[in-house]
mmCIF file of all heavy atoms in Angstrom:
data_model
loop_
_atom_site.group_PDB
_atom_site.id
_atom_site.type_symbol
_atom_site.label_atom_id
_atom_site.label_comp_id
_atom_site.label_asym_id
_atom_site.label_seq_id
_atom_site.Cartn_x
_atom_site.Cartn_y
_atom_site.Cartn_z
ATOM 1 N N MET A 25 3.536 -16.275 -41.784
ATOM 2 C CA MET A 25 3.502 -17.700 -41.592
ATOM 3 C C MET A 25 3.182 -18.420 -42.941
ATOM 4 O O MET A 25 3.610 -19.523 -43.103
ATOM 5 C CB MET A 25 2.462 -18.104 -40.506
ATOM 6 C CG MET A 25 2.754 -17.538 -39.119
ATOM 7 S SD MET A 25 4.452 -18.184 -38.456
ATOM 8 C CE MET A 25 4.028 -19.899 -38.306
ATOM 9 N N ALA A 26 2.388 -17.743 -43.756
ATOM 10 C CA ALA A 26 2.220 -18.404 -45.131
ATOM 11 C C ALA A 26 3.530 -18.553 -45.846
ATOM 12 O O ALA A 26 3.767 -19.601 -46.478
ATOM 13 C CB ALA A 26 1.200 -17.539 -45.908
ATOM 14 N N ALA A 27 4.381 -17.454 -45.796
ATOM 15 C CA ALA A 27 5.577 -17.537 -46.454
ATOM 16 C C ALA A 27 6.556 -18.542 -45.807
ATOM 17 O O ALA A 27 7.363 -19.206 -46.500
ATOM 18 C CB ALA A 27 6.226 -16.159 -46.443
ATOM 19 N N ARG A 28 6.491 -18.595 -44.468
ATOM 20 C CA ARG A 28 7.301 -19.563 -43.735
ATOM 21 C C ARG A 28 6.977 -20.904 -44.156
ATOM 22 O O ARG A 28 7.864 -21.807 -44.337
ATOM 23 C CB ARG A 28 7.125 -19.412 -42.240
ATOM 24 C CG ARG A 28 8.153 -20.187 -41.394
ATOM 25 C CD ARG A 28 7.711 -20.369 -39.946
ATOM 26 N NE ARG A 28 8.717 -21.171 -39.185
ATOM 27 C CZ ARG A 28 8.982 -22.414 -39.354
ATOM 28 N NH1 ARG A 28 8.223 -23.128 -40.229
ATOM 29 N NH2 ARG A 28 9.918 -23.034 -38.601
ATOM 30 N N GLU A 29 5.663 -21.230 -44.328
ATOM 31 C CA GLU A 29 5.352 -22.562 -44.682
ATOM 32 C C GLU A 29 5.803 -22.992 -46.139
ATOM 33 O O GLU A 29 6.254 -24.031 -46.401
ATOM 34 C CB GLU A 29 3.776 -22.768 -44.613
ATOM 35 C CG GLU A 29 3.308 -24.219 -44.968
ATOM 36 C CD GLU A 29 1.805 -24.389 -45.154
ATOM 37 O OE1 GLU A 29 1.192 -23.322 -45.372
ATOM 38 O OE2 GLU A 29 1.342 -25.480 -44.995
ATOM 39 N N LEU A 30 5.594 -21.979 -46.988
ATOM 40 C CA LEU A 30 6.090 -22.205 -48.368
ATOM 41 C C LEU A 30 7.618 -22.532 -48.392
ATOM 42 O O LEU A 30 8.012 -23.524 -49.125
ATOM 43 C CB LEU A 30 5.788 -20.972 -49.269
ATOM 44 C CG LEU A 30 4.424 -20.754 -49.691
ATOM 45 C CD1 LEU A 30 4.293 -19.459 -50.396
ATOM 46 C CD2 LEU A 30 4.039 -21.829 -50.744
ATOM 47 N N LEU A 31 8.379 -21.755 -47.695
ATOM 48 C CA LEU A 31 9.757 -21.977 -47.602
ATOM 49 C C LEU A 31 10.131 -23.368 -46.988
ATOM 50 O O LEU A 31 10.960 -24.162 -47.538
ATOM 51 C CB LEU A 31 10.508 -20.921 -46.822
ATOM 52 C CG LEU A 31 11.962 -21.093 -46.647
ATOM 53 C CD1 LEU A 31 12.775 -21.034 -47.905
ATOM 54 C CD2 LEU A 31 12.608 -19.936 -45.750
ATOM 55 N N ALA A 32 9.508 -23.710 -45.852
ATOM 56 C CA ALA A 32 9.748 -24.895 -45.148
ATOM 57 C C ALA A 32 9.461 -26.115 -45.940
ATOM 58 O O ALA A 32 10.102 -27.204 -45.790
ATOM 59 C CB ALA A 32 9.055 -24.978 -43.814
ATOM 60 N N LYS A 33 8.497 -26.062 -46.892
ATOM 61 C CA LYS A 33 8.084 -27.170 -47.659
ATOM 62 C C LYS A 33 8.783 -27.295 -48.999
ATOM 63 O O LYS A 33 8.580 -28.283 -49.770
ATOM 64 C CB LYS A 33 6.512 -27.207 -47.863
ATOM 65 C CG LYS A 33 5.741 -27.411 -46.591
ATOM 66 C CD LYS A 33 4.327 -27.572 -46.848
ATOM 67 C CE LYS A 33 3.517 -28.083 -45.588
ATOM 68 N NZ LYS A 33 2.127 -28.298 -45.922
ATOM 69 N N HIS A 34 9.678 -26.322 -49.290
ATOM 70 C CA HIS A 34 10.405 -26.434 -50.551
ATOM 71 C C HIS A 34 11.278 -27.643 -50.577
ATOM 72 O O HIS A 34 11.904 -28.081 -49.509
ATOM 73 C CB HIS A 34 11.326 -25.170 -50.737
ATOM 74 C CG HIS A 34 11.810 -24.942 -52.090
ATOM 75 N ND1 HIS A 34 13.028 -25.514 -52.501
ATOM 76 C CD2 HIS A 34 11.287 -24.367 -53.199
ATOM 77 C CE1 HIS A 34 13.243 -25.167 -53.779
ATOM 78 N NE2 HIS A 34 12.203 -24.539 -54.240
ATOM 79 N N ASP A 35 11.452 -28.272 -51.741
ATOM 80 C CA ASP A 35 12.137 -29.543 -51.834
ATOM 81 C C ASP A 35 13.635 -29.435 -51.386
ATOM 82 O O ASP A 35 14.129 -30.449 -50.934
ATOM 83 C CB ASP A 35 12.182 -30.031 -53.307
ATOM 84 C CG ASP A 35 10.830 -30.497 -53.730
ATOM 85 O OD1 ASP A 35 9.929 -30.749 -52.924
ATOM 86 O OD2 ASP A 35 10.634 -30.564 -54.939
ATOM 87 N N SER A 36 14.163 -28.175 -51.394
ATOM 88 C CA SER A 36 15.626 -28.079 -51.097
ATOM 89 C C SER A 36 15.853 -27.784 -49.576
ATOM 90 O O SER A 36 16.947 -27.654 -49.168
ATOM 91 C CB SER A 36 16.260 -27.015 -51.884
ATOM 92 O OG SER A 36 15.679 -25.743 -51.654
ATOM 93 N N VAL A 37 14.757 -27.585 -48.844
ATOM 94 C CA VAL A 37 14.828 -27.047 -47.469
ATOM 95 C C VAL A 37 14.649 -28.083 -46.355
ATOM 96 O O VAL A 37 13.752 -28.974 -46.421
ATOM 97 C CB VAL A 37 13.864 -25.825 -47.255
ATOM 98 C CG1 VAL A 37 13.869 -25.346 -45.859
ATOM 99 C CG2 VAL A 37 14.205 -24.711 -48.230
ATOM 100 N N ASP A 38 15.445 -27.979 -45.368
ATOM 101 C CA ASP A 38 15.210 -28.703 -44.132
ATOM 102 C C ASP A 38 14.288 -27.843 -43.308
ATOM 103 O O ASP A 38 14.681 -26.859 -42.724
ATOM 104 C CB ASP A 38 16.557 -28.946 -43.334
ATOM 105 C CG ASP A 38 16.345 -29.570 -41.999
ATOM 106 O OD1 ASP A 38 15.225 -29.686 -41.528
ATOM 107 O OD2 ASP A 38 17.386 -29.996 -41.496
ATOM 108 N N GLY A 39 13.051 -28.241 -43.240
ATOM 109 C CA GLY A 39 12.000 -27.354 -42.587
ATOM 110 C C GLY A 39 12.202 -27.174 -41.160
ATOM 111 O O GLY A 39 11.462 -26.348 -40.546
ATOM 112 N N SER A 40 13.017 -27.911 -40.532
ATOM 113 C CA SER A 40 13.336 -27.683 -39.098
ATOM 114 C C SER A 40 14.393 -26.639 -38.807
ATOM 115 O O SER A 40 14.671 -26.309 -37.665
ATOM 116 C CB SER A 40 13.810 -28.935 -38.448
ATOM 117 O OG SER A 40 15.161 -29.364 -38.912
ATOM 118 N N LYS A 41 14.978 -26.049 -39.939
ATOM 119 C CA LYS A 41 15.994 -24.986 -39.791
ATOM 120 C C LYS A 41 15.521 -23.754 -40.644
ATOM 121 O O LYS A 41 15.850 -23.723 -41.853
ATOM 122 C CB LYS A 41 17.324 -25.596 -40.268
ATOM 123 C CG LYS A 41 17.868 -26.691 -39.410
ATOM 124 C CD LYS A 41 19.168 -27.263 -39.976
ATOM 125 C CE LYS A 41 19.797 -28.308 -38.986
ATOM 126 N NZ LYS A 41 21.083 -28.765 -39.437
ATOM 127 N N ILE A 42 14.933 -22.860 -39.975
ATOM 128 C CA ILE A 42 14.427 -21.625 -40.653
ATOM 129 C C ILE A 42 14.852 -20.361 -39.937
ATOM 130 O O ILE A 42 14.716 -20.307 -38.700
ATOM 131 C CB ILE A 42 12.850 -21.669 -40.823
ATOM 132 C CG1 ILE A 42 12.449 -22.940 -41.479
ATOM 133 C CG2 ILE A 42 12.364 -20.430 -41.499
ATOM 134 C CD1 ILE A 42 12.779 -22.975 -42.949
ATOM 135 N N ALA A 43 15.306 -19.413 -40.643
ATOM 136 C CA ALA A 43 15.609 -18.064 -40.038
ATOM 137 C C ALA A 43 14.897 -17.034 -40.811
ATOM 138 O O ALA A 43 14.295 -17.252 -41.854
ATOM 139 C CB ALA A 43 17.153 -17.826 -40.142
ATOM 140 N N ALA A 44 14.969 -15.767 -40.296
ATOM 141 C CA ALA A 44 14.289 -14.687 -40.997
ATOM 142 C C ALA A 44 15.059 -13.464 -40.804
ATOM 143 O O ALA A 44 15.624 -13.135 -39.698
ATOM 144 C CB ALA A 44 12.865 -14.502 -40.488
ATOM 145 N N GLN A 45 15.209 -12.703 -41.846
ATOM 146 C CA GLN A 45 15.918 -11.385 -41.804
ATOM 147 C C GLN A 45 15.154 -10.329 -42.441
ATOM 148 O O GLN A 45 14.409 -10.580 -43.465
ATOM 149 C CB GLN A 45 17.380 -11.442 -42.339
ATOM 150 C CG GLN A 45 17.411 -11.813 -43.910
ATOM 151 C CD GLN A 45 18.863 -12.096 -44.321
ATOM 152 O OE1 GLN A 45 19.549 -12.944 -43.803
ATOM 153 N NE2 GLN A 45 19.286 -11.310 -45.343
ATOM 154 N N GLY A 46 15.136 -9.114 -42.014
ATOM 155 C CA GLY A 46 14.304 -8.018 -42.528
ATOM 156 C C GLY A 46 15.070 -6.698 -42.559
ATOM 157 O O GLY A 46 15.912 -6.493 -41.727
ATOM 158 N N TYR A 47 14.594 -5.819 -43.445
ATOM 159 C CA TYR A 47 15.223 -4.460 -43.676
ATOM 160 C C TYR A 47 14.197 -3.397 -43.439
ATOM 161 O O TYR A 47 13.065 -3.453 -43.957
ATOM 162 C CB TYR A 47 15.771 -4.441 -45.110
ATOM 163 C CG TYR A 47 16.783 -5.495 -45.399
ATOM 164 C CD1 TYR A 47 16.366 -6.848 -45.678
ATOM 165 C CD2 TYR A 47 18.163 -5.260 -45.431
ATOM 166 C CE1 TYR A 47 17.220 -7.824 -45.917
ATOM 167 C CE2 TYR A 47 19.065 -6.291 -45.649
ATOM 168 C CZ TYR A 47 18.658 -7.573 -45.943
ATOM 169 O OH TYR A 47 19.504 -8.532 -46.180
ATOM 170 N N CYS A 48 14.558 -2.446 -42.577
ATOM 171 C CA CYS A 48 13.613 -1.347 -42.322
ATOM 172 C C CYS A 48 12.289 -1.880 -41.821
ATOM 173 O O CYS A 48 12.288 -2.466 -40.679
ATOM 174 C CB CYS A 48 13.495 -0.551 -43.629
ATOM 175 S SG CYS A 48 12.458 0.953 -43.546
ATOM 176 N N PHE A 49 11.237 -1.654 -42.564
ATOM 177 C CA PHE A 49 9.970 -2.257 -42.104
ATOM 178 C C PHE A 49 10.062 -3.766 -41.843
ATOM 179 O O PHE A 49 9.463 -4.244 -40.814
ATOM 180 C CB PHE A 49 8.893 -1.940 -43.286
ATOM 181 C CG PHE A 49 7.727 -2.936 -43.327
ATOM 182 C CD1 PHE A 49 6.675 -2.755 -42.361
ATOM 183 C CD2 PHE A 49 7.724 -3.991 -44.242
ATOM 184 C CE1 PHE A 49 5.662 -3.683 -42.432
ATOM 185 C CE2 PHE A 49 6.690 -4.789 -44.263
ATOM 186 C CZ PHE A 49 5.634 -4.695 -43.385
ATOM 187 N N GLY A 50 10.778 -4.407 -42.731
ATOM 188 C CA GLY A 50 10.975 -5.954 -42.608
ATOM 189 C C GLY A 50 11.654 -6.228 -41.236
ATOM 190 O O GLY A 50 11.424 -7.306 -40.647
ATOM 191 N N GLY A 51 12.652 -5.382 -40.858
ATOM 192 C CA GLY A 51 13.280 -5.565 -39.587
ATOM 193 C C GLY A 51 12.432 -5.589 -38.429
ATOM 194 O O GLY A 51 12.544 -6.384 -37.494
ATOM 195 N N ALA A 52 11.467 -4.671 -38.498
ATOM 196 C CA ALA A 52 10.426 -4.618 -37.378
ATOM 197 C C ALA A 52 9.537 -5.899 -37.428
ATOM 198 O O ALA A 52 9.185 -6.425 -36.353
ATOM 199 C CB ALA A 52 9.597 -3.379 -37.561
ATOM 200 N N VAL A 53 9.164 -6.333 -38.687
ATOM 201 C CA VAL A 53 8.378 -7.520 -38.753
ATOM 202 C C VAL A 53 8.998 -8.724 -38.161
ATOM 203 O O VAL A 53 8.404 -9.482 -37.407
ATOM 204 C CB VAL A 53 8.007 -7.795 -40.206
ATOM 205 C CG1 VAL A 53 7.344 -9.171 -40.453
ATOM 206 C CG2 VAL A 53 7.057 -6.708 -40.828
ATOM 207 N N VAL A 54 10.287 -9.040 -38.481
ATOM 208 C CA VAL A 54 10.892 -10.209 -37.992
ATOM 209 C C VAL A 54 11.079 -10.193 -36.474
ATOM 210 O O VAL A 54 11.021 -11.156 -35.774
ATOM 211 C CB VAL A 54 12.257 -10.530 -38.676
ATOM 212 C CG1 VAL A 54 11.984 -10.717 -40.164
ATOM 213 C CG2 VAL A 54 13.322 -9.340 -38.450
ATOM 214 N N LEU A 55 11.399 -8.960 -35.904
ATOM 215 C CA LEU A 55 11.519 -8.815 -34.454
ATOM 216 C C LEU A 55 10.183 -9.073 -33.774
ATOM 217 O O LEU A 55 10.102 -9.758 -32.726
ATOM 218 C CB LEU A 55 11.982 -7.418 -34.155
ATOM 219 C CG LEU A 55 13.464 -7.128 -34.180
ATOM 220 C CD1 LEU A 55 13.761 -5.687 -33.852
ATOM 221 C CD2 LEU A 55 14.218 -8.053 -33.221
ATOM 222 N N ASN A 56 9.097 -8.683 -34.405
ATOM 223 C CA ASN A 56 7.760 -8.933 -33.856
ATOM 224 C C ASN A 56 7.374 -10.453 -33.883
ATOM 225 O O ASN A 56 6.848 -10.959 -32.996
ATOM 226 C CB ASN A 56 6.670 -8.090 -34.537
ATOM 227 C CG ASN A 56 6.621 -6.661 -33.996
ATOM 228 O OD1 ASN A 56 6.973 -6.461 -32.777
ATOM 229 N ND2 ASN A 56 6.101 -5.800 -34.770
ATOM 230 N N MET A 57 7.888 -11.127 -34.988
ATOM 231 C CA MET A 57 7.646 -12.556 -35.027
ATOM 232 C C MET A 57 8.391 -13.288 -33.855
ATOM 233 O O MET A 57 7.900 -14.200 -33.245
ATOM 234 C CB MET A 57 8.115 -13.120 -36.425
ATOM 235 C CG MET A 57 7.239 -12.573 -37.565
ATOM 236 S SD MET A 57 5.344 -12.913 -37.301
ATOM 237 C CE MET A 57 4.840 -11.295 -36.886
ATOM 238 N N ALA A 58 9.625 -12.779 -33.661
ATOM 239 C CA ALA A 58 10.347 -13.304 -32.430
ATOM 240 C C ALA A 58 9.632 -13.083 -31.100
ATOM 241 O O ALA A 58 9.539 -13.904 -30.316
ATOM 242 C CB ALA A 58 11.738 -12.724 -32.357
ATOM 243 N N ARG A 59 9.096 -11.826 -30.975
ATOM 244 C CA ARG A 59 8.379 -11.448 -29.800
ATOM 245 C C ARG A 59 7.145 -12.427 -29.561
ATOM 246 O O ARG A 59 6.710 -12.758 -28.501
ATOM 247 C CB ARG A 59 7.855 -10.036 -29.878
ATOM 248 C CG ARG A 59 8.964 -8.969 -29.674
ATOM 249 C CD ARG A 59 8.457 -7.679 -29.779
ATOM 250 N NE ARG A 59 9.385 -6.538 -29.434
ATOM 251 C CZ ARG A 59 9.940 -5.803 -30.291
ATOM 252 N NH1 ARG A 59 9.716 -5.846 -31.642
ATOM 253 N NH2 ARG A 59 10.840 -4.796 -29.886
#
């Protein structure tokens, strides 16, 4: 969530439109965030 907030507040980002993708360990992380 700390990383999500940093990304959402970046000057170039529409904070209402955020996705996440992960690889191996990261794939499990993003699925758990969805859960």
Side-chain angles (χ1 to χ4, degrees):
M25 294 302 291
R28 189 197 182 287
E29 183 190 22
L30 282 172
L31 176 62
K33 290 189 173 183
H34 194 270
D35 290 343
S36 68
V37 174
D38 178 348
S40 68
K41 296 181 176 181
I42 304 293
Q45 62 188 58
Y47 302 78
C48 183
F49 158 77
V53 170
V54 299
L55 279 177
N56 278 334
M57 294 305 102
R59 288 178 170 108

